[in-house]
Amino acid sequence: MTTGLSQLTEARQLERLPEMPVGALTTGPYVIAGKVTDQLGTLETPYSNTEAVYYRYKLEEEYRDSDGDLRIRTLDSGARGGDFQLRDQTGSVIVAPGSDLEEVEWNLERTYRNQSGRRIYSEWALIPGHTARVIGQYSSEIGAVTFYGLEDFSLPAMVSRNTLTVDSGDRFFEAAIRISIATGFLALGIALSLPLIKVHRFWVYVLVMAIAVSGTLSVLGINKLRQEWSAIADLYEGRYQHAWTSRRLAAASIIAALLLLWLSIRTVKFKRLIEAVPTSSTRGLSFGVSELKAIVDVDEDHPPLRDPLKNEKCVAFDYKVEEKRGSGKNEKWRVIEHREELAPFWLEDSEGKVLVQPDGAKIEYPQYHSERRGDRRYTVRFLETFVNVYCLGFAGLDRGQGALRASANIDTILQQRHELWPNLEKIVKASLAHEKQLLKAIAQLRSADPVEMSSKGQADKLIQFEQNVTNALQARIEGYPDLKNNEDIQKFMSIMAETENYLSLLRNSYTESAMIYNTRIQSFPDVILAKLFRFREAPQFSSET
């Protein structure tokens, strides 16, 4: 298993290490590629008599065993090689494999195969003119690539005619096979050991095997991972010691990771906010975060702006003037003027319109104009009038203008209604003295303080009762012309009607928000957090009278 993990580490290192031109080599481990030359001499292969800088040969023989099956055995094998030169477009370098050729992994294609009778002659040769890829350590003192000390960097000593992708892929495959075989032997050993201690339960076997396999893989994997990171630090610190150190790279990585995490959390929070806030109409806006889709409009009280470049009507623009400075590679655009202007504007839909104060808003400008005049570039982005826009911001209800500025909620509206009933009772009492039941209902409303409502159910009942009394009172007023023409009653009834409209809109907004919340806490993955922290469903106002 250790060998498999080592091969896995080497495969990952091969993917990290870039191929380097010969002319850019300094002391340290590298991957280089180029054509093999015969400048340092060649050897003659034993079977094909081919000139090569390295060759491996094998003589095999076919025979039949005692069962009559045809088998192959090796009669002779060996390898020879010496220093050779590798050349690319940037220069040449000497590759010195040393005397122990078996310490180097030679991934070469078979260049010769011949069968004579029962004997098979094979050769694997590195011939001048072949393109080879070498993984070794360059020494500036001797001016050559050697294969010593690569284990400190978790790199294999290799001369290959394959690509790095193929070599790393082969290593990944071999590592997977070795780890799988080792895991299988470990599981088999556990299966054979448990009966010896008289344990025959299957769940015990599964538990012990899971702990043993996961524990072994974890310990060996963590150890190899520590060695791998140490090798990476040694590799890059040794190569770029004049620019960076491993500690600086680690600190920069941690800062970058934290920054990306913060940005991702902000993005997810904004996405969830958009999903959770229902789209309202202009008359359905309530206190708090709201979203609205409507048409941009202006009037005399809130006139449009004019963009500085095309003089077109708009409600917001971002204007920038840049000047080209420098020459050649140092040529850059420098900002010499930048300004942004925003103006209040109306958002209008089929139900009405509201005023938007865009100060502090992040605006995605849909229109764009740019032109060049000599060495200067003029750019303007703007939000034009009479276009559909999506607006997300802090909203409220203002009775004077219906703008996105005032604060209103169900509790304050109920309190306002509660304060109106005593005054209305005094006026109606004199005109409708015989309507004892209606007066009794008004008195009951006057004594009911909405502040003391402890639940949505109690507030819902109070709202329904107020609506019934209001409808009954309006019917009585219609039946008594003198009372209908009373100026004070008209004033109070107008206020009551307006308050009722606002309360209806606020109830709709609350109901829609509660519906979205209840749906979210029952949907995956929010249901996990809802169960974990015991989130409860939000109560809703009923529609029963």
Side-chain angles (χ1 to χ4, degrees):
M1 188 176 291
T2 303
T3 305
L5 291 174
S6 298
Q7 287 184 322
L8 186 63
T9 301
E10 291 177 354
R12 290 167 59 84
Q13 288 289 74
L14 288 178
E15 290 184 340
R16 294 188 182 100
L17 200 62
E19 191 175 293
M20 186 68 64
V22 171
L25 296 181
T26 58
T27 300
Y30 289 97
V31 176
I32 59 175
K35 288 191 177 296
V36 178
T37 70
D38 57 359
Q39 294 295 319
L40 302 182
T42 58
L43 303 170
E44 191 175 276
T45 60
Y47 302 139
S48 63
N49 299 322
T50 304
E51 297 295 327
V53 298
Y54 166 86
Y55 66 85
R56 184 175 75 250
Y57 66 92
K58 183 187 290 186
L59 174 59
E60 300 170 301
E61 182 183 43
E62 295 180 343
Y63 73 100
R64 293 189 179 276
D65 59 11
S66 58
D67 296 329
D69 296 329
L70 186 64
R71 297 183 178 276
I72 297 177
R73 60 190 172 192
T74 301
L75 299 179
D76 188 21
S77 65
R80 287 190 62 193
D83 298 351
F84 62 93
Q85 187 184 66
L86 201 68
R87 181 184 296 275
D88 66 3
Q89 295 179 349
T90 62
S92 61
V93 67
I94 296 174
V95 179
S99 58
D100 193 357
L101 298 177
E102 293 183 356
E103 293 295 326
V104 181
E105 183 178 336
W106 301 83
N107 292 339
L108 305 176
E109 299 175 353
R110 181 157 53 182
T111 56
Y112 177 79
R113 185 182 187 279
N114 183 38
Q115 184 169 357
S116 177
R118 291 190 174 185
R119 295 194 171 185
I120 303 173
Y121 303 86
S122 301
E123 290 177 350
W124 293 262
L126 185 60
I127 302 170
H130 280 176
T131 298
R133 187 166 282 98
V134 177
I135 301 175
Q137 187 160 205
Y138 180 77
S139 174
S140 56
E141 295 179 359
I142 62 176
V145 175
T146 62
F147 298 93
Y148 301 110
L150 290 176
E151 61 274 3
D152 296 336
F153 304 99
S154 296
L155 288 171
M158 181 186 298
V159 177
S160 174
R161 295 203 61 204
N162 301 324
T163 62
L164 280 177
T165 304
V166 173
D167 288 330
S168 62
D170 292 342
R171 256 176 165 67
F172 272 121
F173 180 74
E174 292 178 9
I177 294 297
R178 289 178 181 272
I179 294 174
S180 299
I181 293 175
T183 304
F185 278 120
L186 179 60
L188 179 61
I190 294 173
L192 296 176
S193 301
L194 289 178
L196 296 178
I197 57 176
K198 298 181 180 181
V199 176
H200 304 282
R201 294 183 179 275
F202 178 74
W203 68 268
V204 176
Y205 164 73
V206 173
L207 179 62
V208 173
M209 186 181 68
I211 295 174
V213 173
S214 61
T216 302
L217 288 175
S218 298
V219 172
L220 294 177
I222 292 173
N223 185 43
K224 286 295 179 183
L225 188 61
R226 187 184 298 112
Q227 294 178 5
E228 180 180 343
W229 279 103
S230 176
I232 295 172
D234 293 340
L235 174 64
Y236 286 97
E237 186 174 356
R239 181 169 299 177
Y240 306 111
Q241 56 185 345
H242 300 293
W244 290 94
T245 64
S246 58
R247 292 183 179 179
R248 292 177 181 176
L249 286 173
S253 301
I254 293 174
I255 294 174
L258 292 176
L259 179 61
L260 291 176
L261 179 62
W262 178 71
L263 291 175
S264 62
I265 291 176
R266 282 194 59 186
T267 303
V268 171
K269 286 177 64 178
F270 184 66
K271 175 180 177 295
R272 299 294 292 272
L273 176 64
I274 294 177
E275 292 176 349
V277 177
T279 302
S280 304
S281 64
T282 53
R283 290 186 59 83
L285 292 175
S286 59
F287 176 76
V289 178
S290 301
E291 68 178 46
L292 177 66
K293 186 176 181 181
I295 297 177
V296 176
D297 195 8
V298 292
D299 58 14
E300 294 181 357
D301 296 330
H302 302 285
L305 301 172
R306 295 281 182 173
D307 79 86
L309 193 59
K310 297 291 185 179
N311 200 35
E312 295 184 7
K313 289 183 179 181
C314 61
V315 293
F317 68 81
D318 183 276
Y319 179 64
K320 184 167 58 176
V321 181
E322 299 168 288
E323 187 176 54
K324 184 184 291 186
R325 296 179 182 176
S327 60
K329 295 182 179 180
N330 297 324
E331 186 178 80
K332 293 182 179 179
W333 288 99
R334 305 286 184 179
V335 178
I336 60 175
E337 182 184 353
H338 184 207
R339 59 190 174 97
E340 183 178 22
E341 291 189 21
L342 310 172
F345 59 90
W346 296 98
L347 282 182
E348 184 175 2
D349 62 9
S350 59
E351 297 186 9
K353 63 181 182 179
V354 293
L355 184 64
V356 176
Q357 302 287 350
D359 294 334
K362 180 181 178 182
I363 300 177
E364 295 183 3
Y365 295 97
Q367 296 296 325
Y368 169 89
H369 287 316
S370 180
E371 64 179 46
R372 289 186 60 177
R373 302 171 188 170
D375 292 337
R376 292 191 175 185
R377 180 170 62 188
Y378 300 82
T379 306
V380 62
R381 297 178 299 149
F382 59 94
L383 176 61
E384 60 183 345
T385 57
F386 305 110
V387 293
N388 275 307
V389 296
Y390 170 84
C391 180
L392 176 67
F394 194 82
L397 291 172
D398 188 334
R399 297 190 180 189
Q401 298 176 345
L404 298 173
R405 291 179 298 178
S407 64
N409 53 36
I410 293 178
D411 292 336
T412 56
I413 293 297
L414 284 174
Q415 184 65 37
Q416 291 174 5
R417 292 180 62 181
H418 172 71
E419 293 172 355
L420 289 174
W421 284 111
N423 296 323
L424 185 61
E425 180 189 21
K426 295 178 183 178
I427 298 172
V428 176
K429 206 169 192 180
S431 303
L432 296 177
H434 59 287
E435 294 287 352
K436 295 182 180 180
Q437 186 174 0
L438 182 59
L439 291 175
K440 182 179 179 182
I442 294 176
Q444 182 178 348
L445 285 175
R446 182 189 57 164
S447 61
D449 191 353
V451 178
E452 298 178 357
M453 298 295 143
S454 59
S455 67
K456 289 294 179 185
Q458 294 177 352
D460 192 21
K461 291 181 181 179
L462 177 62
I463 293 173
Q464 297 295 341
F465 184 59
E466 287 185 358
Q467 288 178 343
N468 293 337
V469 174
T470 302
N471 294 336
L473 179 60
Q474 288 177 343
R476 297 301 186 275
I477 292 173
E478 291 293 333
Y480 294 91
D482 294 337
L483 186 62
K484 181 177 179 181
N485 295 329
N486 188 297
E487 183 178 352
D488 293 331
I489 290 185
Q490 284 183 341
K491 178 180 178 181
F492 278 107
M493 290 307 298
S494 175
I495 296 175
M496 290 298 299
E498 182 183 0
T499 306
E500 184 68 30
N501 290 334
Y502 279 114
L503 182 59
S504 177
L505 294 175
L506 291 172
R507 288 183 61 191
N508 293 337
S509 178
Y510 170 83
T511 301
E512 190 171 358
S513 299
M515 186 188 314
I516 293 175
Y517 167 79
N518 293 337
T519 303
R520 290 288 294 274
I521 64 173
Q522 295 177 4
S523 305
F524 184 83
D526 300 282
V527 66
I528 299 176
L529 293 177
K531 296 292 184 182
L532 183 62
F533 294 101
R534 298 181 180 180
F535 290 169
R536 297 180 180 179
E537 289 190 4
Q540 297 190 15
F541 289 104
S542 65
S543 58
E544 297 178 0
T545 59

